[in-house]
Amino acid sequence: MSELELHTLLVQGVFLVAALTVPALLFISAPYGRHARGGWGPQMDTRLAWMVMESPSVLWFLAVFFAGAHAWSLVPLLLLVLWQSHYVQRAFIFPLKIRPGGHTPVSVVAMGFMFNLVNAYVNARWVSEFGRYELSWLLDPRLWLGVGLFVLGYRINRRADAVLAALRKPGETGYKIPRGGLYELISCPNYFGELLEWTGWAIATWSVAGLSFAVFTAANLVPRALSHHKWYKQKFPEYPAGRKAVIPFLL
Ligand code: NDP
């Protein structure tokens, strides 16, 4: 089997995992954060969990990217900056901003780590080796539409995560109703921002590899947003009735 065939197989694997994730998460919420519960084996510190789980998306992505024949070309480098701007923050800065003392099952971390190994390889290898991104791609509206969507999603995601991080005073562990900005329209603007980012990535790279990650992100985060939304409405009788879960005015 050639490496390109292996790459194609892995991309198909990501689509398959996405298809299985939707029904699984509609019935069983991923057991971390507010949906944490026993029965998922040993636990580890949540801040460390995020760092371990997301580190392949920074380090392994870099290694695979710079092994590619087109790594030093302008468009692949631009795409590298997009990817790393998200993942350096997610792996090494975001975990320091969430409350200390939380616990996450090692099994969840292991699944996330494995997924990120595959996903980082699939996307990095495509961008710097198998894909063809000539300088003319800089004049293609798909690149800039994708970059624009990615940057918009990034800002929404960062802002929404910052609002959540500010809800708790030092030492607090409970939950409050988030307010302001997109929280007036949806319960999970952080997930909405994430969906925009990876849709933007899929458009900017115009690749099946990028599309597989956008589809997986939706498969993972839309059911989780629906669970969060239901949980908020059950926990807070005064929860704003007009708020949707994850897509303003729609869902
Ligand atoms: P959540 O919104 O569930 O939680 C984010 C943080 O905010 C946690 O520390 C949580 O605490 C805290 N928090 C959430 N709601 C409240 C509230 N109402 N009051 C007080 N504190 C609150 O997000 P996730 O942990 O699921 O995800 C974190 C980030 O990772 C998001 O930006 C998400 O988009 C991204 N992500 C991306 C995925 C992908 O497939 N691309 C997959 C999963 C996450 P606690 O932990 O105690 O609940």
mmCIF file of all heavy atoms in Angstrom, residues 32-34 46 50 54 86-87 90 94 98-99 157 161 164-165 167-168 173-178 188 190-191 194 198 213 216-217 220-221 224 228 231-232 236, ligand 1:
data_model
loop_
_atom_site.group_PDB
_atom_site.id
_atom_site.type_symbol
_atom_site.label_atom_id
_atom_site.label_comp_id
_atom_site.label_asym_id
_atom_site.label_seq_id
_atom_site.Cartn_x
_atom_site.Cartn_y
_atom_site.Cartn_z
ATOM 1 N N TYR A 32 -17.043 14.204 30.670
ATOM 2 C CA TYR A 32 -16.146 15.175 31.294
ATOM 3 C C TYR A 32 -16.921 16.466 31.504
ATOM 4 O O TYR A 32 -18.010 16.635 30.965
ATOM 5 C CB TYR A 32 -14.862 15.386 30.473
ATOM 6 C CG TYR A 32 -15.050 16.114 29.156
ATOM 7 C CD1 TYR A 32 -14.922 17.501 29.070
ATOM 8 C CD2 TYR A 32 -15.353 15.430 27.977
ATOM 9 C CE1 TYR A 32 -15.070 18.182 27.862
ATOM 10 C CE2 TYR A 32 -15.514 16.091 26.772
ATOM 11 C CZ TYR A 32 -15.370 17.466 26.724
ATOM 12 O OH TYR A 32 -15.540 18.134 25.524
ATOM 13 N N GLY A 33 -16.325 17.376 32.339
ATOM 14 C CA GLY A 33 -17.009 18.633 32.647
ATOM 15 C C GLY A 33 -18.314 18.351 33.377
ATOM 16 O O GLY A 33 -18.400 17.474 34.236
ATOM 17 N N ARG A 34 -19.406 19.045 33.006
ATOM 18 C CA ARG A 34 -20.685 18.902 33.727
ATOM 19 C C ARG A 34 -21.305 17.526 33.537
ATOM 20 O O ARG A 34 -22.186 17.132 34.292
ATOM 21 C CB ARG A 34 -21.653 19.998 33.288
ATOM 22 C CG ARG A 34 -22.345 19.725 31.979
ATOM 23 C CD ARG A 34 -22.944 20.967 31.406
ATOM 24 N NE ARG A 34 -21.902 21.957 31.135
ATOM 25 C CZ ARG A 34 -22.162 23.217 30.831
ATOM 26 N NH1 ARG A 34 -23.393 23.659 30.806
ATOM 27 N NH2 ARG A 34 -21.175 24.046 30.571
ATOM 28 N N THR A 46 -7.683 17.517 34.943
ATOM 29 C CA THR A 46 -8.265 17.993 33.683
ATOM 30 C C THR A 46 -7.331 18.913 32.906
ATOM 31 O O THR A 46 -7.261 18.852 31.675
ATOM 32 C CB THR A 46 -9.597 18.721 33.971
ATOM 33 O OG1 THR A 46 -10.525 17.750 34.476
ATOM 34 C CG2 THR A 46 -10.179 19.352 32.729
ATOM 35 N N TRP A 50 -6.041 18.049 29.062
ATOM 36 C CA TRP A 50 -6.117 18.850 27.833
ATOM 37 C C TRP A 50 -4.755 18.929 27.156
ATOM 38 O O TRP A 50 -4.629 18.824 25.941
ATOM 39 C CB TRP A 50 -6.625 20.264 28.146
ATOM 40 C CG TRP A 50 -8.128 20.351 28.189
ATOM 41 C CD1 TRP A 50 -8.901 20.473 29.308
ATOM 42 C CD2 TRP A 50 -9.043 20.311 27.081
ATOM 43 N NE1 TRP A 50 -10.224 20.515 28.959
ATOM 44 C CE2 TRP A 50 -10.342 20.423 27.602
ATOM 45 C CE3 TRP A 50 -8.883 20.184 25.708
ATOM 46 C CZ2 TRP A 50 -11.484 20.414 26.807
ATOM 47 C CZ3 TRP A 50 -10.026 20.182 24.904
ATOM 48 C CH2 TRP A 50 -11.299 20.296 25.453
ATOM 49 N N GLU A 54 -4.231 17.275 23.455
ATOM 50 C CA GLU A 54 -4.116 18.170 22.305
ATOM 51 C C GLU A 54 -2.681 18.323 21.799
ATOM 52 O O GLU A 54 -2.469 18.883 20.722
ATOM 53 C CB GLU A 54 -4.674 19.564 22.656
ATOM 54 C CG GLU A 54 -6.116 19.551 23.164
ATOM 55 C CD GLU A 54 -7.126 19.122 22.105
ATOM 56 O OE1 GLU A 54 -6.970 19.491 20.930
ATOM 57 O OE2 GLU A 54 -8.066 18.377 22.438
ATOM 58 N N HIS A 86 -4.561 28.101 16.467
ATOM 59 C CA HIS A 86 -5.624 27.475 17.263
ATOM 60 C C HIS A 86 -5.028 26.507 18.286
ATOM 61 O O HIS A 86 -5.360 26.552 19.469
ATOM 62 C CB HIS A 86 -6.598 26.717 16.357
ATOM 63 C CG HIS A 86 -7.641 25.963 17.128
ATOM 64 N ND1 HIS A 86 -8.855 26.503 17.491
ATOM 65 C CD2 HIS A 86 -7.634 24.712 17.661
ATOM 66 C CE1 HIS A 86 -9.555 25.630 18.188
ATOM 67 N NE2 HIS A 86 -8.833 24.522 18.312
ATOM 68 N N TYR A 87 -4.148 25.621 17.821
ATOM 69 C CA TYR A 87 -3.780 24.490 18.678
ATOM 70 C C TYR A 87 -2.746 24.822 19.751
ATOM 71 O O TYR A 87 -2.746 24.183 20.811
ATOM 72 C CB TYR A 87 -3.372 23.280 17.837
ATOM 73 C CG TYR A 87 -4.594 22.442 17.534
ATOM 74 C CD1 TYR A 87 -5.061 22.301 16.240
ATOM 75 C CD2 TYR A 87 -5.322 21.846 18.557
ATOM 76 C CE1 TYR A 87 -6.206 21.562 15.977
ATOM 77 C CE2 TYR A 87 -6.468 21.116 18.306
ATOM 78 C CZ TYR A 87 -6.903 20.971 17.032
ATOM 79 O OH TYR A 87 -8.045 20.256 16.785
ATOM 80 N N ARG A 90 -5.038 26.053 22.335
ATOM 81 C CA ARG A 90 -5.873 25.008 22.917
ATOM 82 C C ARG A 90 -5.065 24.053 23.805
ATOM 83 O O ARG A 90 -5.519 23.648 24.875
ATOM 84 C CB ARG A 90 -6.557 24.197 21.788
ATOM 85 C CG ARG A 90 -7.311 22.969 22.231
ATOM 86 C CD ARG A 90 -8.567 23.277 23.043
ATOM 87 N NE ARG A 90 -9.586 23.883 22.239
ATOM 88 C CZ ARG A 90 -10.151 25.079 22.511
ATOM 89 N NH1 ARG A 90 -9.820 25.756 23.589
ATOM 90 N NH2 ARG A 90 -11.063 25.593 21.713
ATOM 91 N N PHE A 94 -5.155 27.498 26.958
ATOM 92 C CA PHE A 94 -6.517 27.231 27.458
ATOM 93 C C PHE A 94 -6.509 26.406 28.762
ATOM 94 O O PHE A 94 -7.207 26.765 29.721
ATOM 95 C CB PHE A 94 -7.329 26.528 26.352
ATOM 96 C CG PHE A 94 -8.620 25.932 26.806
ATOM 97 C CD1 PHE A 94 -9.750 26.722 27.012
ATOM 98 C CD2 PHE A 94 -8.729 24.561 27.038
ATOM 99 C CE1 PHE A 94 -10.945 26.160 27.430
ATOM 100 C CE2 PHE A 94 -9.919 23.993 27.466
ATOM 101 C CZ PHE A 94 -11.030 24.800 27.662
ATOM 102 N N ILE A 98 -8.653 27.258 32.722
ATOM 103 C CA ILE A 98 -9.828 26.614 33.311
ATOM 104 C C ILE A 98 -9.563 26.320 34.784
ATOM 105 O O ILE A 98 -8.414 26.344 35.227
ATOM 106 C CB ILE A 98 -10.224 25.332 32.542
ATOM 107 C CG1 ILE A 98 -9.089 24.314 32.565
ATOM 108 C CG2 ILE A 98 -10.624 25.668 31.125
ATOM 109 C CD1 ILE A 98 -9.433 23.022 31.841
ATOM 110 N N ARG A 99 -10.642 26.019 35.513
ATOM 111 C CA ARG A 99 -10.475 25.871 36.965
ATOM 112 C C ARG A 99 -9.560 24.683 37.268
ATOM 113 O O ARG A 99 -9.690 23.612 36.634
ATOM 114 C CB ARG A 99 -11.830 25.712 37.653
ATOM 115 C CG ARG A 99 -12.417 24.336 37.587
ATOM 116 C CD ARG A 99 -13.666 24.219 38.442
ATOM 117 N NE ARG A 99 -14.403 23.026 38.090
ATOM 118 C CZ ARG A 99 -14.233 21.829 38.662
ATOM 119 N NH1 ARG A 99 -13.333 21.671 39.616
ATOM 120 N NH2 ARG A 99 -14.954 20.803 38.279
ATOM 121 N N ASN A 157 -14.754 31.683 19.350
ATOM 122 C CA ASN A 157 -14.396 30.601 20.277
ATOM 123 C C ASN A 157 -13.604 31.140 21.466
ATOM 124 O O ASN A 157 -13.900 30.820 22.628
ATOM 125 C CB ASN A 157 -13.590 29.537 19.509
ATOM 126 C CG ASN A 157 -13.109 28.406 20.405
ATOM 127 O OD1 ASN A 157 -11.994 28.444 20.914
ATOM 128 N ND2 ASN A 157 -13.947 27.408 20.610
ATOM 129 N N ASP A 161 -14.972 31.139 25.305
ATOM 130 C CA ASP A 161 -14.252 30.413 26.363
ATOM 131 C C ASP A 161 -13.837 31.375 27.483
ATOM 132 O O ASP A 161 -13.847 31.011 28.663
ATOM 133 C CB ASP A 161 -13.015 29.704 25.784
ATOM 134 C CG ASP A 161 -13.347 28.324 25.193
ATOM 135 O OD1 ASP A 161 -14.422 27.775 25.519
ATOM 136 O OD2 ASP A 161 -12.523 27.800 24.421
ATOM 137 N N LEU A 164 -16.741 32.057 29.833
ATOM 138 C CA LEU A 164 -16.946 30.932 30.761
ATOM 139 C C LEU A 164 -15.889 30.943 31.865
ATOM 140 O O LEU A 164 -16.201 30.750 33.044
ATOM 141 C CB LEU A 164 -16.886 29.600 30.012
ATOM 142 C CG LEU A 164 -18.004 29.336 28.999
ATOM 143 C CD1 LEU A 164 -17.812 27.973 28.355
ATOM 144 C CD2 LEU A 164 -19.376 29.420 29.655
ATOM 145 N N ALA A 165 -14.636 31.196 31.463
ATOM 146 C CA ALA A 165 -13.547 31.157 32.452
ATOM 147 C C ALA A 165 -13.728 32.239 33.513
ATOM 148 O O ALA A 165 -13.294 32.072 34.659
ATOM 149 C CB ALA A 165 -12.199 31.321 31.750
ATOM 150 N N LEU A 167 -16.601 33.225 34.740
ATOM 151 C CA LEU A 167 -17.829 33.057 35.532
ATOM 152 C C LEU A 167 -17.537 32.651 36.976
ATOM 153 O O LEU A 167 -18.289 32.982 37.888
ATOM 154 C CB LEU A 167 -18.731 31.993 34.891
ATOM 155 C CG LEU A 167 -19.499 32.417 33.634
ATOM 156 C CD1 LEU A 167 -20.262 31.225 33.055
ATOM 157 C CD2 LEU A 167 -20.459 33.553 33.941
ATOM 158 N N ARG A 168 -16.460 31.911 37.160
ATOM 159 C CA ARG A 168 -16.176 31.406 38.511
ATOM 160 C C ARG A 168 -15.127 32.269 39.192
ATOM 161 O O ARG A 168 -14.084 32.569 38.607
ATOM 162 C CB ARG A 168 -15.646 29.973 38.435
ATOM 163 C CG ARG A 168 -16.683 28.974 38.001
ATOM 164 C CD ARG A 168 -16.034 27.615 37.780
ATOM 165 N NE ARG A 168 -17.036 26.617 37.458
ATOM 166 C CZ ARG A 168 -16.801 25.567 36.675
ATOM 167 N NH1 ARG A 168 -15.599 25.372 36.163
ATOM 168 N NH2 ARG A 168 -17.752 24.707 36.426
ATOM 169 N N THR A 173 -16.674 26.162 42.041
ATOM 170 C CA THR A 173 -16.715 25.020 41.117
ATOM 171 C C THR A 173 -18.070 24.876 40.417
ATOM 172 O O THR A 173 -18.200 24.085 39.501
ATOM 173 C CB THR A 173 -16.447 23.697 41.885
ATOM 174 O OG1 THR A 173 -17.415 23.585 42.925
ATOM 175 C CG2 THR A 173 -15.046 23.641 42.453
ATOM 176 N N GLY A 174 -19.058 25.658 40.851
ATOM 177 C CA GLY A 174 -20.416 25.472 40.304
ATOM 178 C C GLY A 174 -20.589 26.130 38.940
ATOM 179 O O GLY A 174 -19.636 26.629 38.334
ATOM 180 N N TYR A 175 -21.845 26.113 38.468
ATOM 181 C CA TYR A 175 -22.154 26.648 37.138
ATOM 182 C C TYR A 175 -23.092 27.844 37.256
ATOM 183 O O TYR A 175 -23.939 27.891 38.145
ATOM 184 C CB TYR A 175 -22.801 25.561 36.277
ATOM 185 C CG TYR A 175 -21.844 24.437 35.943
ATOM 186 C CD1 TYR A 175 -21.701 23.337 36.804
ATOM 187 C CD2 TYR A 175 -21.072 24.479 34.794
ATOM 188 C CE1 TYR A 175 -20.809 22.319 36.503
ATOM 189 C CE2 TYR A 175 -20.175 23.466 34.486
ATOM 190 C CZ TYR A 175 -20.054 22.390 35.340
ATOM 191 O OH TYR A 175 -19.170 21.383 35.048
ATOM 192 N N LYS A 176 -22.930 28.825 36.352
ATOM 193 C CA LYS A 176 -23.800 30.004 36.290
ATOM 194 C C LYS A 176 -24.305 30.157 34.861
ATOM 195 O O LYS A 176 -23.722 29.551 33.944
ATOM 196 C CB LYS A 176 -23.010 31.246 36.681
ATOM 197 C CG LYS A 176 -22.427 31.164 38.087
ATOM 198 C CD LYS A 176 -21.484 32.317 38.378
ATOM 199 C CE LYS A 176 -20.788 32.074 39.717
ATOM 200 N NZ LYS A 176 -19.793 33.084 40.040
ATOM 201 N N ILE A 177 -25.320 31.002 34.683
ATOM 202 C CA ILE A 177 -25.814 31.237 33.319
ATOM 203 C C ILE A 177 -24.888 32.250 32.647
ATOM 204 O O ILE A 177 -24.759 33.378 33.128
ATOM 205 C CB ILE A 177 -27.255 31.789 33.338
ATOM 206 C CG1 ILE A 177 -28.190 30.782 34.017
ATOM 207 C CG2 ILE A 177 -27.731 32.100 31.922
ATOM 208 C CD1 ILE A 177 -29.631 31.254 34.149
ATOM 209 N N PRO A 178 -24.213 31.867 31.558
ATOM 210 C CA PRO A 178 -23.369 32.843 30.867
ATOM 211 C C PRO A 178 -24.227 33.871 30.134
ATOM 212 O O PRO A 178 -25.293 33.518 29.612
ATOM 213 C CB PRO A 178 -22.560 31.996 29.872
ATOM 214 C CG PRO A 178 -23.172 30.651 29.846
ATOM 215 C CD PRO A 178 -24.218 30.546 30.919
ATOM 216 N N CYS A 188 -23.889 27.574 23.494
ATOM 217 C CA CYS A 188 -22.493 27.141 23.307
ATOM 218 C C CYS A 188 -21.781 27.881 22.175
ATOM 219 O O CYS A 188 -21.401 27.259 21.161
ATOM 220 C CB CYS A 188 -22.451 25.639 23.039
ATOM 221 S SG CYS A 188 -23.202 24.657 24.343
ATOM 222 N N ASN A 190 -18.825 28.823 22.132
ATOM 223 C CA ASN A 190 -17.456 28.286 21.940
ATOM 224 C C ASN A 190 -17.485 27.158 20.896
ATOM 225 O O ASN A 190 -16.625 27.083 20.016
ATOM 226 C CB ASN A 190 -16.822 27.823 23.265
ATOM 227 C CG ASN A 190 -17.688 26.898 24.096
ATOM 228 O OD1 ASN A 190 -18.871 26.710 23.811
ATOM 229 N ND2 ASN A 190 -17.115 26.318 25.137
ATOM 230 N N TYR A 191 -18.519 26.310 20.949
ATOM 231 C CA TYR A 191 -18.616 25.229 19.964
ATOM 232 C C TYR A 191 -18.968 25.787 18.576
ATOM 233 O O TYR A 191 -18.465 25.309 17.567
ATOM 234 C CB TYR A 191 -19.672 24.199 20.381
ATOM 235 C CG TYR A 191 -19.368 23.449 21.663
ATOM 236 C CD1 TYR A 191 -20.345 22.668 22.273
ATOM 237 C CD2 TYR A 191 -18.114 23.494 22.263
ATOM 238 C CE1 TYR A 191 -20.080 21.953 23.440
ATOM 239 C CE2 TYR A 191 -17.848 22.805 23.437
ATOM 240 C CZ TYR A 191 -18.834 22.038 24.021
ATOM 241 O OH TYR A 191 -18.573 21.346 25.183
ATOM 242 N N GLU A 194 -15.884 27.050 17.071
ATOM 243 C CA GLU A 194 -15.050 25.912 16.639
ATOM 244 C C GLU A 194 -15.565 25.346 15.301
ATOM 245 O O GLU A 194 -14.780 25.013 14.415
ATOM 246 C CB GLU A 194 -15.091 24.855 17.745
ATOM 247 C CG GLU A 194 -14.118 23.743 17.583
ATOM 248 C CD GLU A 194 -12.843 23.886 18.419
ATOM 249 O OE1 GLU A 194 -12.821 24.624 19.418
ATOM 250 O OE2 GLU A 194 -11.858 23.250 18.032
ATOM 251 N N TRP A 198 -13.260 25.173 11.672
ATOM 252 C CA TRP A 198 -12.854 23.999 10.892
ATOM 253 C C TRP A 198 -13.600 23.921 9.569
ATOM 254 O O TRP A 198 -13.100 23.321 8.617
ATOM 255 C CB TRP A 198 -12.934 22.733 11.751
ATOM 256 C CG TRP A 198 -12.015 22.939 12.926
ATOM 257 C CD1 TRP A 198 -12.367 23.030 14.234
ATOM 258 C CD2 TRP A 198 -10.594 23.185 12.872
ATOM 259 N NE1 TRP A 198 -11.256 23.307 15.004
ATOM 260 C CE2 TRP A 198 -10.158 23.407 14.194
ATOM 261 C CE3 TRP A 198 -9.652 23.254 11.855
ATOM 262 C CZ2 TRP A 198 -8.820 23.693 14.516
ATOM 263 C CZ3 TRP A 198 -8.323 23.537 12.160
ATOM 264 C CH2 TRP A 198 -7.922 23.750 13.475
ATOM 265 N N PHE A 213 -12.215 16.663 9.026
ATOM 266 C CA PHE A 213 -12.119 17.214 10.378
ATOM 267 C C PHE A 213 -13.306 18.121 10.688
ATOM 268 O O PHE A 213 -13.840 18.106 11.811
ATOM 269 C CB PHE A 213 -10.797 17.959 10.552
ATOM 270 C CG PHE A 213 -10.573 18.444 11.966
ATOM 271 C CD1 PHE A 213 -11.048 17.724 13.063
ATOM 272 C CD2 PHE A 213 -9.897 19.627 12.217
ATOM 273 C CE1 PHE A 213 -10.854 18.164 14.365
ATOM 274 C CE2 PHE A 213 -9.693 20.074 13.514
ATOM 275 C CZ PHE A 213 -10.179 19.353 14.589
ATOM 276 N N PHE A 216 -16.113 15.821 11.486
ATOM 277 C CA PHE A 216 -15.948 15.208 12.808
ATOM 278 C C PHE A 216 -16.256 16.223 13.919
ATOM 279 O O PHE A 216 -16.908 15.886 14.920
ATOM 280 C CB PHE A 216 -14.525 14.664 12.996
ATOM 281 C CG PHE A 216 -14.316 14.180 14.403
ATOM 282 C CD1 PHE A 216 -14.776 12.921 14.784
ATOM 283 C CD2 PHE A 216 -13.746 15.001 15.371
ATOM 284 C CE1 PHE A 216 -14.648 12.493 16.096
ATOM 285 C CE2 PHE A 216 -13.618 14.579 16.680
ATOM 286 C CZ PHE A 216 -14.065 13.321 17.050
ATOM 287 N N THR A 217 -15.784 17.461 13.745
ATOM 288 C CA THR A 217 -16.028 18.480 14.772
ATOM 289 C C THR A 217 -17.528 18.673 14.987
ATOM 290 O O THR A 217 -18.007 18.743 16.128
ATOM 291 C CB THR A 217 -15.356 19.814 14.374
ATOM 292 O OG1 THR A 217 -13.953 19.593 14.237
ATOM 293 C CG2 THR A 217 -15.578 20.897 15.410
ATOM 294 N N ASN A 220 -19.022 15.747 16.799
ATOM 295 C CA ASN A 220 -18.637 15.716 18.209
ATOM 296 C C ASN A 220 -19.341 16.825 19.014
ATOM 297 O O ASN A 220 -19.861 16.583 20.106
ATOM 298 C CB ASN A 220 -17.110 15.908 18.272
ATOM 299 C CG ASN A 220 -16.536 15.634 19.636
ATOM 300 O OD1 ASN A 220 -17.201 15.067 20.497
ATOM 301 N ND2 ASN A 220 -15.295 16.036 19.844
ATOM 302 N N LEU A 221 -19.351 18.025 18.460
ATOM 303 C CA LEU A 221 -19.775 19.180 19.263
ATOM 304 C C LEU A 221 -21.267 19.490 19.196
ATOM 305 O O LEU A 221 -21.818 20.033 20.161
ATOM 306 C CB LEU A 221 -18.954 20.419 18.868
ATOM 307 C CG LEU A 221 -17.463 20.341 19.217
ATOM 308 C CD1 LEU A 221 -16.768 21.660 18.901
ATOM 309 C CD2 LEU A 221 -17.243 19.972 20.693
ATOM 310 N N ARG A 224 -22.972 17.404 21.816
ATOM 311 C CA ARG A 224 -22.567 17.890 23.142
ATOM 312 C C ARG A 224 -23.255 19.229 23.452
ATOM 313 O O ARG A 224 -23.675 19.477 24.583
ATOM 314 C CB ARG A 224 -21.041 18.028 23.222
ATOM 315 C CG ARG A 224 -20.555 18.328 24.627
ATOM 316 C CD ARG A 224 -19.071 18.064 24.806
ATOM 317 N NE ARG A 224 -18.617 18.442 26.138
ATOM 318 C CZ ARG A 224 -18.707 17.677 27.214
ATOM 319 N NH1 ARG A 224 -19.219 16.473 27.138
ATOM 320 N NH2 ARG A 224 -18.283 18.103 28.389
ATOM 321 N N HIS A 228 -25.580 20.078 26.624
ATOM 322 C CA HIS A 228 -25.366 21.253 27.492
ATOM 323 C C HIS A 228 -26.666 22.066 27.595
ATOM 324 O O HIS A 228 -27.072 22.503 28.668
ATOM 325 C CB HIS A 228 -24.285 22.165 26.895
ATOM 326 C CG HIS A 228 -22.866 21.774 27.223
ATOM 327 N ND1 HIS A 228 -22.480 20.521 27.611
ATOM 328 C CD2 HIS A 228 -21.720 22.505 27.216
ATOM 329 C CE1 HIS A 228 -21.172 20.487 27.823
ATOM 330 N NE2 HIS A 228 -20.685 21.680 27.599
ATOM 331 N N TRP A 231 -29.235 20.464 29.677
ATOM 332 C CA TRP A 231 -28.776 20.504 31.070
ATOM 333 C C TRP A 231 -29.036 21.889 31.668
ATOM 334 O O TRP A 231 -29.516 22.014 32.800
ATOM 335 C CB TRP A 231 -27.283 20.142 31.088
ATOM 336 C CG TRP A 231 -26.628 20.169 32.432
ATOM 337 C CD1 TRP A 231 -26.456 19.117 33.286
ATOM 338 C CD2 TRP A 231 -26.045 21.306 33.093
ATOM 339 N NE1 TRP A 231 -25.796 19.530 34.423
ATOM 340 C CE2 TRP A 231 -25.539 20.866 34.329
ATOM 341 C CE3 TRP A 231 -25.908 22.653 32.751
ATOM 342 C CZ2 TRP A 231 -24.898 21.716 35.224
ATOM 343 C CZ3 TRP A 231 -25.275 23.509 33.642
ATOM 344 C CH2 TRP A 231 -24.788 23.026 34.860
ATOM 345 N N TYR A 232 -28.711 22.956 30.908
ATOM 346 C CA TYR A 232 -28.943 24.328 31.403
ATOM 347 C C TYR A 232 -30.426 24.533 31.710
ATOM 348 O O TYR A 232 -30.795 25.107 32.730
ATOM 349 C CB TYR A 232 -28.539 25.362 30.338
ATOM 350 C CG TYR A 232 -27.084 25.794 30.346
ATOM 351 C CD1 TYR A 232 -26.298 25.686 29.199
ATOM 352 C CD2 TYR A 232 -26.495 26.369 31.476
ATOM 353 C CE1 TYR A 232 -24.980 26.113 29.182
ATOM 354 C CE2 TYR A 232 -25.169 26.799 31.465
ATOM 355 C CZ TYR A 232 -24.421 26.668 30.315
ATOM 356 O OH TYR A 232 -23.116 27.093 30.296
ATOM 357 N N PHE A 236 -31.503 25.460 35.463
ATOM 358 C CA PHE A 236 -31.899 26.843 35.751
ATOM 359 C C PHE A 236 -33.307 27.097 35.210
ATOM 360 O O PHE A 236 -33.481 27.295 33.997
ATOM 361 C CB PHE A 236 -30.932 27.828 35.083
ATOM 362 C CG PHE A 236 -29.501 27.712 35.533
ATOM 363 C CD1 PHE A 236 -28.543 27.111 34.730
ATOM 364 C CD2 PHE A 236 -29.096 28.221 36.760
ATOM 365 C CE1 PHE A 236 -27.222 27.017 35.134
ATOM 366 C CE2 PHE A 236 -27.769 28.127 37.183
ATOM 367 C CZ PHE A 236 -26.828 27.519 36.367
HETATM 368 P P1 NDP B 1 -17.391 23.573 28.013
HETATM 369 O O1 NDP B 1 -18.130 24.749 27.500
HETATM 370 O O2 NDP B 1 -18.144 22.405 28.464
HETATM 371 O O3 NDP B 1 -16.433 24.022 29.238
HETATM 372 C C1 NDP B 1 -15.378 24.931 29.039
HETATM 373 C C2 NDP B 1 -14.873 25.412 30.409
HETATM 374 O O4 NDP B 1 -15.798 26.354 30.974
HETATM 375 C C3 NDP B 1 -14.742 24.310 31.460
HETATM 376 O O5 NDP B 1 -13.675 24.641 32.312
HETATM 377 C C4 NDP B 1 -16.072 24.360 32.213
HETATM 378 O O6 NDP B 1 -15.985 23.878 33.545
HETATM 379 C C5 NDP B 1 -16.345 25.860 32.198
HETATM 380 N N1 NDP B 1 -17.782 26.157 32.144
HETATM 381 C C6 NDP B 1 -18.630 25.788 31.142
HETATM 382 N N2 NDP B 1 -19.870 26.261 31.367
HETATM 383 C C7 NDP B 1 -19.819 26.920 32.538
HETATM 384 C C8 NDP B 1 -20.809 27.617 33.323
HETATM 385 N N3 NDP B 1 -22.066 27.737 32.894
HETATM 386 N N4 NDP B 1 -20.430 28.171 34.508
HETATM 387 C C9 NDP B 1 -19.142 28.066 34.921
HETATM 388 N N5 NDP B 1 -18.155 27.430 34.213
HETATM 389 C C10 NDP B 1 -18.492 26.854 33.053
HETATM 390 O O7 NDP B 1 -16.350 23.175 26.838
HETATM 391 P P2 NDP B 1 -15.455 21.859 26.637
HETATM 392 O O8 NDP B 1 -14.692 21.622 27.893
HETATM 393 O O9 NDP B 1 -16.260 20.760 26.037
HETATM 394 O O10 NDP B 1 -14.471 22.381 25.475
HETATM 395 C C11 NDP B 1 -13.501 23.368 25.733
HETATM 396 C C12 NDP B 1 -12.996 23.930 24.392
HETATM 397 O O11 NDP B 1 -12.470 22.887 23.572
HETATM 398 C C13 NDP B 1 -14.092 24.617 23.580
HETATM 399 O O12 NDP B 1 -13.567 25.795 23.007
HETATM 400 C C14 NDP B 1 -14.424 23.619 22.484
HETATM 401 O O13 NDP B 1 -14.839 24.280 21.321
HETATM 402 C C15 NDP B 1 -13.100 22.868 22.290
HETATM 403 N N6 NDP B 1 -13.341 21.488 21.870
HETATM 404 C C16 NDP B 1 -13.168 21.142 20.553
HETATM 405 C C17 NDP B 1 -13.458 19.866 20.095
HETATM 406 C C18 NDP B 1 -13.364 19.497 18.637
HETATM 407 O O14 NDP B 1 -13.863 18.435 18.258
HETATM 408 N N7 NDP B 1 -12.734 20.287 17.775
HETATM 409 C C19 NDP B 1 -13.874 18.819 21.050
HETATM 410 C C20 NDP B 1 -14.053 19.278 22.410
HETATM 411 C C21 NDP B 1 -13.791 20.568 22.786
HETATM 412 P P3 NDP B 1 -16.223 22.307 33.894
HETATM 413 O O15 NDP B 1 -15.046 21.570 33.245
HETATM 414 O O16 NDP B 1 -16.204 22.284 35.384
HETATM 415 O O17 NDP B 1 -17.535 21.911 33.270
#
